[in-house]
Amino acid sequence: MTSAAGTARAAITPPPATAVPTLWPMLRLRWRRDRVQVPVWLLSLGLIALLSGIAVPASFGTVADREALVQIAVGTPSILMLRGEPRGPAADALLFFSLFANLAAAVAFMSTFLAVRHSRAEEEAGRSELIGATVASRVVPLVATVLFGTVAALGAGAVVAAALVVAGLDPTGSLLTGAALAGTGVVFLGVGLVAAQLMCTSRGANGLAAAVIGVAYVLRAVGDAGGTPAADGLSLASAWPSWLSPIGWGQRTRAFTENNPAPLLLALGCAALLVAVAVLLQSRRDTGSSVFAERAGRPAAGALLRGSWGLAWRLQRSSILGWAITGLLFGLLAGSLGETVVDLMEGNPVFQNVLVGLAGGPGAIIDLFTATLFSLVGVIAAAAGIQAVLRARQEEAAGVAEAMLSTGLGRIRWLFDYLTVGVVAIALVLVAAVAGAAVGLLPTDAAADRIESVVQAGAAQVPAALLLLAVAAVLVAVLPRLCIGLSWGLLLAAVVIGQFGDLLDLPDWVQDLSPFSHTPVVAAAEVDWSGAWWMSALAVLLAAAAALGIRRRDLAG
Amino acid sequence: MNPVVQTRDLSKRFGRVQALAGLDLSVAEGEVHGFVGPNGAGKSTTIRILLGLMRAGGGSATVLGGDPWADASALHRRIGYVPGDVSLWPNLSGGEAIDLLARLRGARTSDPAYQARRRQLLERFQLDPTRKGRTYSTGNRQKVALVAAFSVPAELLILDEPTSGLDPLMDAVFRTEVAAAVAAGTTVLLSSHILSEVERLCDRVSIIRAGRIIETGTLAELRHLTHTEVAFADADVTPAELAGLSGRLPGAQDLVAGDGRVSFTIDGAALPDLLPALAELRVQGLTVSPPTLESLFLRHYGADGEGQSDTPGASPDQLRHER
């Protein structure tokens, strides 16, 4: 067959034989779109590393302080689950222990969001069709996303390493910490890209990727909680489950103590494999298709779909179900591990005295353990609620809210329908978690007491979640264009302040800003519920403010 | 001469839906080829296969002498594309999107010729390139894609319902630009269901139905397939005279009298015999209309009433609209 270029009329200049540089424009497009988002991620990570790098040595100045702290940590599985693998009383080792797993989870989210944003979301919006019809075609955009995501992960590692060096920590350990974070980042970049190939919507892909991050975090947590303590009680060797987790691999570098980069090879290999799978799928499938295809919908509306509430529920029921399942799993974990924890401790005379003295009896230790895990369930519930009310804004931006509001539906009613779906989401997550915990606790001694305590721990999470939900509703009403980023940012800040406020040595007034700091702690003999009451009152006031705000502003595209 | 686009027995299936069922399309060099059919007939699926965005399920497709799936990158340098449903990056301006797409087709955006062309197109389409993608209306998003497509010379332009969001003034600008591109040697495949547009622009037309091309040819050729409509005022024409008329012209069909008009259709070849007969009757207000594309179209789709029922209902493009 002769080339059509040869037969084209003279007026159309045949393209020169040189290759069109498509990778560079695609990379620049990614940077252009993310030039605020990615730097904000990097700076936040760097700031957390810097502040804790300064605070930990300052708060725990003497070896004796740190030894006491590490001993408590080694003997307390709930601390291990939320922190990591303690490796001795050195200040930098203590920092790596308390910080790494959580920073790694944050980098993982940065990477999966980035991956999905530049792959499935583009495809869903139809923009990849515009790009696919150019020389860039089908695979170059994916390659550009891989490069951009790798640069972002390396950037996160570099920023954190630099922050730790600035904080005065050992440069080798700092660098390895950064490298381990970057390694986690590229693995989850691959996870996000494969999820984007599998699912037909960006929501679905983000959800799947988040579930993988959750599994990785929990595997590592179980590995740490089930680890073998050293004879001196000052360090721990994680159990095998942490080898199944990319976050665990980073932790296994044991930066500042052993400085062993070898586990990062696992991360690189895994990332390469995932990227290869994504490229293979991408190069073979149709634009717009996915491995798991979308099912056909029902031909007529169901009974629930009779108004704005029904719509808000219909649009979000599957993601709310996903959040509730996450809550159920956390609850099961909290309930079923409680007794194991006590058994472990009773078998280990080194910690038994420390811990029983600290918490007051094996029952109280289980309560403390579940209360710690339930503080995470509270975060999950708040996230579920916030996502539900932010959907109102997404509907508005997509232009579909206009169709709803041009019917007899009032604006306050419209916003409150999304708000109440958020309340339902919070309730479902917590009920599922409590139910899971109750099932897990059934075989334990005095199960009724433990279950009562878990019900209280679940109820204690409600006010903080409601407050954050109401704040998100006010933001939707007042700052429509910024509300999505601000709401998630506030949740993140509340979590960081609530979970790491002590570690970061933040002043009390800053710690008091986080609703989670006021969540009643159900492990104490006398539970102080005052915070719960005023947070609930504030949530109601804010909901009223949201009602006022939504009536006053224009709809914004 | 090789056709610019050639498909043979092209098929594509989405789950249970057969979107294309043996489609044979041929677009010759230098022509404006109309690709006509109702929603869901398979137009967009065909176009996506021609662009290598989708892989053919069966049969073969050749575009500019290459395989659209395997040689996608190389072919896309020579192809301009305007999708039916243009989506832009929310935080990129229209101007940025145009330059990006031009660069991705191998244009140097610093080239004065490109800049002059871009400026001219922005002016003609009255498009403000500084606005962000999220603030454009449907029509303006379409203009961004049109400017991007026309600003880089292409051997083949594939336009998928490119004017569905444009006002009549912009429609006229669009037709001028297509004519200019054709004069410069570009071949155009124009998918549309706006039949008047196809009639005004296209040299040849292919009508697609349920994933197959059921009619293809120049408008003149297609017109032979159907009848000319003749109508006149019925004042001064007696029923007897009418009956005599239809007796003299056995080719006349669908004779209807009412609303003060008499109308019937007749084969184009019988027209010379008709005219003396009409003159004898001294008819008033005579109109003789050649068949429109619409009547052709309705003949295939409307007459037997099954035009809608057997069209594949769920092309991916429709699914996306519904989300």
Side-chain angles (χ1 to χ4, degrees):
Chain A
M1 192 171 293
T2 57
S3 160
T7 57
R9 294 181 197 180
I12 304 284
T13 32
T18 54
V20 177
T22 51
L23 191 58
W24 182 240
M26 294 312 295
L27 269 172
R28 277 181 49 181
L29 172 66
R30 276 146 184 73
W31 168 246
R32 170 67 185 76
R33 296 189 62 208
D34 284 358
R35 64 183 175 187
V36 177
Q37 261 192 78
V38 167
V40 165
W41 270 102
L42 299 192
L43 286 179
S44 312
L45 291 165
L47 201 65
I48 292 175
L50 182 66
L51 289 180
S52 34
I54 294 168
V56 168
S59 320
F60 307 100
T62 68
V63 178
D65 286 347
R66 293 195 296 265
E67 279 182 349
L69 186 75
V70 171
Q71 275 181 339
I72 294 172
V74 167
T76 316
S78 59
I79 296 182
L80 297 175
M81 294 185 85
L82 297 183
R83 294 291 188 263
E85 182 193 40
R87 301 295 301 169
D92 42 16
L94 182 62
L95 181 76
F96 185 77
F97 152 68
S98 23
L99 204 59
F100 180 79
N102 293 293
L103 275 187
V107 173
F109 275 107
M110 177 186 86
S111 293
T112 58
F113 284 147
L114 181 149
V116 173
R117 184 164 65 240
H118 291 295
S119 53
R120 179 55 64 179
E122 287 287 281
E123 217 164 317
E124 198 182 6
R127 290 187 285 265
S128 60
E129 196 175 310
L130 221 43
I131 295 291
T134 69
V135 180
S137 205
R138 298 179 304 266
V139 178
V140 174
L142 176 61
V143 174
T145 307
V146 171
L147 289 180
F148 183 61
T150 306
V151 169
L154 288 174
V159 167
V160 168
L164 294 179
V165 171
V166 169
L169 274 73
D170 168 50
T172 312
S174 303
L175 208 60
L176 188 58
T177 307
L181 282 177
T184 316
V186 290
V187 171
F188 283 98
L189 178 71
V191 168
L193 291 172
V194 171
Q197 297 292 324
L198 297 181
M199 311 302 275
C200 59
T201 64
S202 55
R203 276 174 94 84
N206 276 325
L208 178 63
V212 175
I213 296 176
V215 168
Y217 190 89
V218 167
L219 280 173
R220 185 236 99 231
V222 169
D224 291 340
T228 318
D232 59 1
L234 288 173
S235 66
L236 184 91
S238 297
W240 61 268
S242 75
W243 280 113
L244 301 178
S245 161
I247 301 177
W249 301 334
Q251 203 172 274
R252 289 277 175 159
T253 58
R254 295 179 176 161
F256 299 106
T257 47
E258 291 172 27
N259 283 335
N260 172 20
L264 295 184
L265 291 176
L266 273 174
L268 287 182
C270 180
L273 191 71
L274 288 167
V275 166
V277 168
V279 169
L280 189 72
L281 287 170
Q282 174 75 22
S283 59
R284 297 174 75 91
R285 72 180 173 86
D286 294 343
T287 301
S289 70
S290 54
V291 173
F292 300 135
E294 190 159 40
R295 287 167 300 158
R298 52 197 297 166
L304 263 180
L305 188 55
R306 56 174 64 252
S308 148
W309 196 92
L311 177 67
W313 170 254
R314 170 69 186 75
L315 291 173
Q316 310 193 77
R317 60 182 183 196
S318 34
S319 53
I320 291 175
L321 187 71
W323 288 111
I325 290 173
T326 315
L328 182 78
L329 294 178
F330 260 92
L332 269 173
L333 194 72
S336 51
L337 281 180
E339 194 167 31
T340 322
V341 169
V342 174
D343 290 350
L344 276 172
M345 281 191 296
E346 278 169 355
N348 193 327
V350 181
F351 322 116
Q352 202 182 349
N353 297 333
V354 183
L355 283 154
V356 174
L358 184 84
I365 293 175
I366 298 184
D367 287 351
L368 184 64
F369 178 77
T370 44
T372 313
L373 273 178
F374 263 75
S375 70
L376 284 187
V377 175
V379 175
I380 295 169
I386 288 172
Q387 192 188 43
V389 76
L390 288 181
R391 183 69 192 232
R393 166 59 197 160
Q394 289 168 327
E395 295 280 294
E396 182 187 354
V400 268
E402 211 171 282
M404 293 295 289
L405 289 169
S406 57
T407 65
L409 178 70
R411 285 174 178 217
I412 297 181
R413 175 66 198 274
W414 171 73
L415 181 62
F416 271 55
D417 282 340
Y418 284 88
L419 187 69
T420 45
V421 168
V423 174
V424 170
I426 290 172
L428 285 177
V429 170
L430 291 174
V431 166
V434 169
V439 169
L441 285 168
L442 277 180
T444 57
D445 300 332
D449 285 354
R450 300 282 77 75
I451 290 172
E452 191 197 325
S453 162
V454 162
V455 171
Q456 286 190 23
Q461 309 304 322
V462 173
L466 284 185
L467 182 57
L468 284 162
L469 170 68
V471 169
V474 170
L475 290 172
V476 171
V478 180
L479 294 170
R481 289 191 200 282
L482 302 175
C483 67
I484 293 180
L486 272 181
S487 301
W488 290 118
L490 281 176
L491 175 67
L492 188 68
V495 172
V496 169
I497 295 173
Q499 294 278 343
F500 298 95
D502 286 327
L503 180 73
L504 299 176
D505 201 21
L506 297 174
D508 284 350
W509 67 267
V510 175
Q511 296 200 32
D512 284 345
L513 287 177
S514 169
F516 297 118
S517 306
H518 304 282
T519 292
V521 182
V522 179
E526 281 293 309
V527 182
D528 176 10
W529 290 92
S530 64
W533 293 119
W534 72 254
M535 281 201 290
S536 305
L538 192 56
V540 171
L541 277 178
L542 285 172
L548 283 179
I550 193 72
R551 227 175 34 180
R552 283 160 177 268
R553 73 165 170 88
D554 296 341
L555 284 188
Chain B
M1 192 190 296
N2 283 314
V4 172
V5 173
Q6 177 88 61
T7 76
R8 286 206 200 290
D9 201 25
L10 198 62
S11 68
K12 181 76 185 175
R13 176 177 267 291
F14 299 109
R16 283 170 301 151
V17 180
Q18 186 80 46
L20 297 181
L23 180 122
D24 297 310
L25 177 68
S26 177
V27 178
E29 193 184 319
E31 71 176 1
V32 180
H33 194 102
F35 191 30
V36 181
N39 298 326
K43 299 192 296 292
S44 292
T45 303
T46 308
I47 284 177
R48 288 190 180 129
I49 291 174
L50 295 180
L51 285 165
L53 293 167
M54 282 181 180
R55 197 206 282 260
S60 69
T62 312
V63 175
L64 293 167
D67 174 343
W69 177 265
D71 312 331
S73 277
L75 289 174
H76 289 172
R77 278 193 89 166
R78 303 154 63 188
I79 300 176
Y81 171 52
V82 177
D85 180 22
V86 180
S87 171
L88 297 175
W89 298 272
N91 59 350
L92 256 65
S93 72
E96 285 178 297
I98 291 168
D99 285 344
L100 170 71
L101 292 170
R103 282 178 190 150
L104 290 175
R105 280 176 55 208
R108 291 166 52 94
T109 47
S110 55
D111 180 3
Y114 167 80
Q115 286 181 348
R117 179 83 184 116
R118 179 185 187 273
R119 201 161 40 240
Q120 185 186 45
L121 285 164
L122 288 175
E123 214 165 274
R124 287 186 184 162
F125 279 106
Q126 294 172 22
L127 180 71
D128 177 358
T130 61
R131 288 179 56 192
K132 292 286 175 76
R134 70 165 75 83
T135 66
Y136 282 122
S137 65
T138 312
N140 280 324
R141 287 200 303 274
Q142 212 147 30
K143 287 189 209 170
V144 169
L146 284 167
V147 171
F150 284 125
S151 61
V152 183
E155 287 170 58
L156 171 64
L157 273 174
I158 297 183
L159 311 172
D160 190 1
E161 299 186 10
T163 59
S164 52
L166 298 188
D167 61 47
L169 288 174
M170 289 304 121
D171 225 13
V173 175
F174 166 74
R175 286 196 303 272
T176 314
E177 291 303 327
V178 170
V182 172
T186 302
T187 305
V188 180
L189 176 63
L190 171 71
S191 133
S192 181
H193 51 213
I194 304 173
L195 301 173
S196 58
E197 175 176 280
V198 174
E199 265 183 330
R200 273 190 279 190
L201 273 170
C202 297
D203 306 310
R204 289 206 310 145
V205 176
S206 289
I207 300 178
I208 178 174
R209 166 168 156 182
R212 271 195 198 88
I213 299 291
I214 47 170
E215 212 72 82
T216 188
T218 64
L219 272 175
E221 283 166 356
L222 292 183
R223 279 180 178 137
H224 281 299
L225 297 172
T226 189
H227 290 153
T228 302
E229 189 178 294
V230 180
F232 49 86
D234 72 353
D236 311 326
V237 181
T238 65
E241 284 170 328
L242 264 184
L245 182 68
S246 47
R248 279 176 61 182
L249 297 164
Q253 288 173 352
D254 308 327
L255 185 80
V256 184
D259 289 338
R261 305 277 294 170
V262 174
S263 69
F264 56 90
T265 61
I266 189 164
D267 193 86
L271 262 180
D273 297 335
L274 173 68
L275 292 175
L278 292 177
E280 256 172 55
L281 291 176
R282 309 195 68 80
V283 297
Q284 305 286 308
L286 174 69
T287 56
V288 179
S289 333
T292 58
L293 190 56
E294 189 169 335
S295 61
L296 278 170
F297 197 71
L298 289 175
R299 198 170 75 100
H300 286 298
Y301 275 97
D304 52 5
E306 58 176 327
Q308 290 302 313
S309 63
D310 64 352
T311 54
S315 73
D317 145 77
Q318 274 185 304
L319 287 176
R320 215 178 56 226
H321 283 299
E322 281 157 20
R323 273 211 287 272

